[in-house]
Structures are given as C-alpha cells and as structure tokens.
Amino acid sequence: MDLNDTLTRPDDAAETKTRKVFVKTYGCQMNVYDSQRMSDALMADGYQPTDAIEDADLVLLNTCHIRERAAEKVYSELGRIRDLKRDRAAQGHEMVVGVTGCVAQAEGDEILRRAPVVDLVVGPQTYHRLPAVVKKARAGHKVVETDYALEDKFEHLPQPQKTVVRNRGVTAFLTVQEGCDKFCTFCVVPYTRGSEISRPVAQIVAEAERLAEGGVREITLLGQNVNAWHGEGVGGREWGLGELLFRLAEIPGLERLRYTTSHPRDMDDTLIAAHRDLPALMPYLHLPVQSGSDRILKAMNRKHTADDYLRLIERIRNVRPDIAMSGDFIIGFPGESDADHEATMKLVRDVGYAQAFSFKYSPRPGTPGADMKFHVEERVKDERLQELQALLTNQLETFTQSRVGMEMDALIEKPGRQAGQIVGRSPWLQPVILDESVGRIGDIVRVKVLSAGRNSLFAEPV
C-alpha cells in the first residue's frame, strides 16, 4: 500500500520524509483487527505500511500470549530485529522497535530489560495512544504503556478511509467486545485483555456502514467472549448480540455476518433466533467446549457440563439444521485421566464437527491451572492429542465431502493461485475454486460443488 504521505521530523522542520511501518501479527483474529487499527492510527500520523521489514522505520510485533513459549518466540524475533536495527543504524537509518499485544501487557518492563533493542511496549488497551508513544520513542525515550485506559480506545482510534478498506478486500473483522470475566483456569485473557467491555451500538453500526461503503460484503464480529456483548443502544437501552445482528443485517451492501469466539453460557434465545431468522447470518458457529469431561470442565471453571453443551447444540440445530459446528479442545489438562479423555472423544463423536482446533495444555504463568497438581506427562498428552486430531480430521473430511453435489452461494474474494481461477468463500468458510469468468471480486454467485479436496471445494456456476 503506497499512500505517499509525508511527515515533518520534529527535530528538523526543514526535512520531510515518508516513514514506513512494518507490523507482524501473532495469534487470533482480534490481533489482526488490532494491527489494522494501529496501522490506521499511524497512517493518520504520516506513516505508510510496508511488507518489507528491511525498509521499515518503525517495526511493531503484535503479540499473543495464549500458547506455550509465545513470549520466547517474540524474544527470538527481537534478536533478529536487533541485528537488522544495527545494520540500518550503520547506514544512517533510524529504526524504532515496539512490542504490542498480550505479551506486551503481561511482560511490560521485563521486555525492555531482556531486549534492549525495544523502544516501546504498548498493551492492547492503549493503542489509541500509539502515535504519541512513537514520537516519544523517536525522541530517545523508552516507553511502556500497559495501564488500562480510562478512555474508549475504539472511539479514539481513527477510522480507515474507503480507499484503504477497498484495498483490504471484501471481508473484514470488526471488534465489538474485548476482555473476559469468565476466568477459565487455563486462560490468560482476563489478565492481558482485562474485564469484558462492550462497544456501544452506534459505534459498531457506524464502523460497519463505513466498511460496507468501502466494498466489504462480509463482516465477522470479534470478541474474546463475543456473545457476552451487551452494548448501549438507542435511548440508552442495553442490547444483546442477537439484536445487534438484526440491526447490522439492515445495512445496504452488507450481505453476510459471522461472529467469534463464543462461550456456551452466553447463547441466549435472541441469538439463537437470529440463526433461525437471519439469512445473512452464516450457518457456521465456533462454540468452544474445551473438554467432554464434567470433572475437567469443573476444574477449568467453565461453569457448564458436557450435557449442557450438547443440549445447546441440539437447540441451535433445531432452528438451523444446516449449521456447521466448530470447537476448541485442550488435551492433558492437570488431572485428566484416560476416562476424562474418552469422555472428550465421545462428545466429539456425538457433535460431529466441521472443524475444530485442539492443543496440548500448556501452563500459562499467573493462571490457576499452572499451580494445579497432577500435570499430565507430555508423552500421554501427545498420544491423546494424536487420537483426537485423527477423529477431528476424519470429521472434517466427511463434512467437506458432504458438500459435493450441493448448490450454495459463494462470495468471490480473490484471484486464485492458478491463472484463470478465482477463489470464493462458502457459507461454511471453505474456499471455493471457480473459473474467473464466473464473476468479479465482491460478487455472490450461485454455484454447484463438483468435487472436494482436503480443505477446498471445486464448483461451477448454476
């Protein structure tokens, strides 16, 4: 992206220069969204994004703290950046280096101690202060901004221009909720993202309208616990996520809606009704359960049972029979027995997932799970994970093959890898490979699936 913007140096008003920012994103979709909003804030301050770290005047690592050794991966990357920064300095070019995201929030000043190459550390709640922080860093100050902001960071972040939105494509993320109050014993989110905060309806609708005006056809609403969203609506009345989805479906040009990530405890009647009544709400639901064992679910502080989860899925499927389920599983949580693992396998067989993500439990410092007794041996974790993933892979392949012969609407997203092809997206998030004569990017076309690969569908227009 080349905006040809310029920024006057504060220490030399006569010198002008186009500065470039490189952002590397780790982790979840919310980090992808945050990275875009940070870029928007910096573009408003005269920076232009670059995909080449070697050309960057500002390098930001937007980090994730969910998985094991996440912080160590960041420090390893910072070691490589240190050498690059030194080489750039030898050529007379300044490079400012920053760490943002959940590792920044969790580690704070420790990052500056372990990695002197870093000039600024900014937590997820203070991205709207990023341009001011960068100015301080460029003036030679080491800056750490990890306090939870009193201001609404979303309200203060600049909105992308229509031309920028068009360059990003026809699908977009939109964060509506941040933080979590559930305090699952394996999770660091309440400590790195804070308590649950919901954006007001007007703010969300205004951003969705700007995205639609910029050519976006599909929006995915984001939140650490998105279906716990309760935002201020018209007249100060509190809305729930289901009501918000009905409002967003009224926006001209916005044809598809999704949301992630959900908690089983927050699927209320209005949200389930939205799956029944809104054609724009795609028939794909990511609803993590983590384990099929009630004993382990209690130890995880999930506050639901396996039967609660299964009955909820039955309710959702009753109103939307074509819905595909996705989930998350943690294998080898402290105290997990063979019987607990088999309970998880049984739940997976009972649900029949279209897709799922499974991981070995890794202790996160500062969480209750890290201090629990009876941690499972790595060898046992590996065996159980392989067994679960084999079952999930089989279910994925079964679901993908079940689309063959089916007619569906595909949203054309981008050119294909091979000449003469374009790639669409099915209602169930699968890539759909089509001949480029079918339509243009942004079109929604009716197609029939001819065959299926491991993850993709091959189709022709109806």
Side-chain angles (χ1 to χ4, degrees), residues 102-397:
C102 292
V103 172
Q105 187 68 41
E107 305 256 333
D109 290 295
E110 176 70 6
I111 294 175
L112 298 184
R113 187 189 70 79
R114 288 188 57 181
V117 67
V118 175
D119 302 295
L120 62 96
V121 178
V122 178
Q125 309 305 322
T126 50
Y127 291 152
H128 56 296
R129 301 177 188 168
L130 187 59
V133 170
V134 171
K135 286 184 174 69
K136 289 181 182 178
R138 292 192 64 248
H141 302 286
K142 297 281 187 176
V143 188
V144 177
E145 280 271 4
T146 55
D147 293 335
Y148 284 101
L150 297 177
E151 316 100 302
D152 180 349
K153 77 172 188 182
F154 298 105
E155 184 177 359
H156 288 84
L157 281 168
Q159 297 295 329
Q161 299 299 311
K162 290 180 186 177
T163 53
V164 174
V165 173
R166 290 191 182 98
N167 287 333
R168 288 178 181 165
V170 296
T171 64
F173 295 128
L174 198 170
T175 293
V176 300
Q177 180 272 342
E178 189 168 359
C180 187
D181 295 340
K182 298 296 187 289
F183 287 93
C184 298
T185 56
F186 54 81
C187 187
V188 297
V189 166
Y191 311 101
T192 58
R193 290 276 181 171
S195 59
E196 291 175 0
I197 298 174
S198 295
R199 297 177 70 183
V201 173
Q203 201 180 106
I204 295 168
V205 171
E207 184 169 345
E209 288 175 340
R210 278 191 293 269
L211 290 171
E213 289 167 2
V216 169
R217 307 297 306 279
E218 175 181 301
I219 286 178
T220 300
L221 305 182
L222 297 181
Q224 266 87 30
N225 190 19
V226 69
N227 56 344
W229 177 87
H230 285 87
E232 180 183 343
V234 178
R237 183 176 63 82
E238 187 176 79
W239 290 22
L241 186 64
E243 196 169 1
L244 176 65
L245 287 164
F246 277 99
R247 172 64 184 88
L248 294 176
E250 298 173 358
I251 296 175
L254 190 56
E255 301 292 338
R256 290 181 163 195
L257 297 169
R258 304 180 189 271
Y259 63 91
T260 194
T261 293
S262 304
H263 195 290
R265 287 170 53 199
D266 294 310
M267 289 292 300
D268 62 22
D269 292 342
T270 306
L271 184 53
I272 293 174
H275 281 281
R276 179 192 64 207
D277 298 334
L278 277 182
L281 184 55
M282 292 294 96
Y284 181 92
L285 176 60
H286 185 63
L287 191 64
V289 62
Q290 308 301 354
S291 174
S293 162
D294 289 346
R295 192 174 71 86
I296 296 301
L297 288 170
K298 184 176 181 180
M300 289 177 168
N301 196 36
R302 292 289 290 174
K303 292 187 172 65
H304 64 79
T305 66
D307 188 59
D308 293 335
Y309 181 81
L310 291 171
R311 284 189 286 109
L312 175 60
I313 289 179
E314 183 180 11
R315 286 184 62 201
I316 297 167
R317 282 178 166 163
N318 281 339
V319 302
R320 189 69 191 261
D322 65 337
I323 200 163
M325 299 304 304
S326 171
D328 288 346
F329 294 91
I330 295 175
I331 296 302
F333 190 78
E336 184 186 76
S337 66
D338 289 342
D340 295 323
H341 173 64
E342 180 50 40
T344 297
M345 297 292 290
K346 181 180 183 303
L347 182 142
V348 171
R349 287 189 287 266
D350 288 345
V351 172
Y353 287 94
Q355 186 173 0
F357 305 93
S358 53
F359 309 91
K360 292 187 297 182
Y361 172 74
S362 59
R364 308 313 302 135
T367 62
D371 298 325
M372 290 182 177
K373 298 179 180 179
F374 309 113
H375 282 256
V376 179
E377 295 179 15
E378 287 299 315
R379 174 187 58 80
V380 176
K381 288 183 189 178
D382 287 335
E383 292 173 354
R384 291 176 182 170
L385 183 64
Q386 289 176 21
E387 182 182 18
L388 174 62
Q389 289 184 339
L391 175 58
L392 292 171
T393 298
N394 180 262
Q395 291 188 347
L396 167 63
E397 292 172 350

Side-chain angles (χ1 to χ4, degrees), residues 52-82:
I53 189 172
E54 299 83 4
D55 298 334
D57 304 283
L58 171 62
V59 174
L60 298 176
L61 304 184
N62 190 13
T63 60
C64 175
H65 206 251
I66 294 295
R67 303 294 166 217
E68 187 178 15
R69 294 187 295 275
E72 294 309 314
K73 292 178 181 178
V74 174
Y75 288 117
S76 177
E77 182 72 15
L78 288 171
R80 291 187 285 270
I81 292 173
R82 177 195 59 209

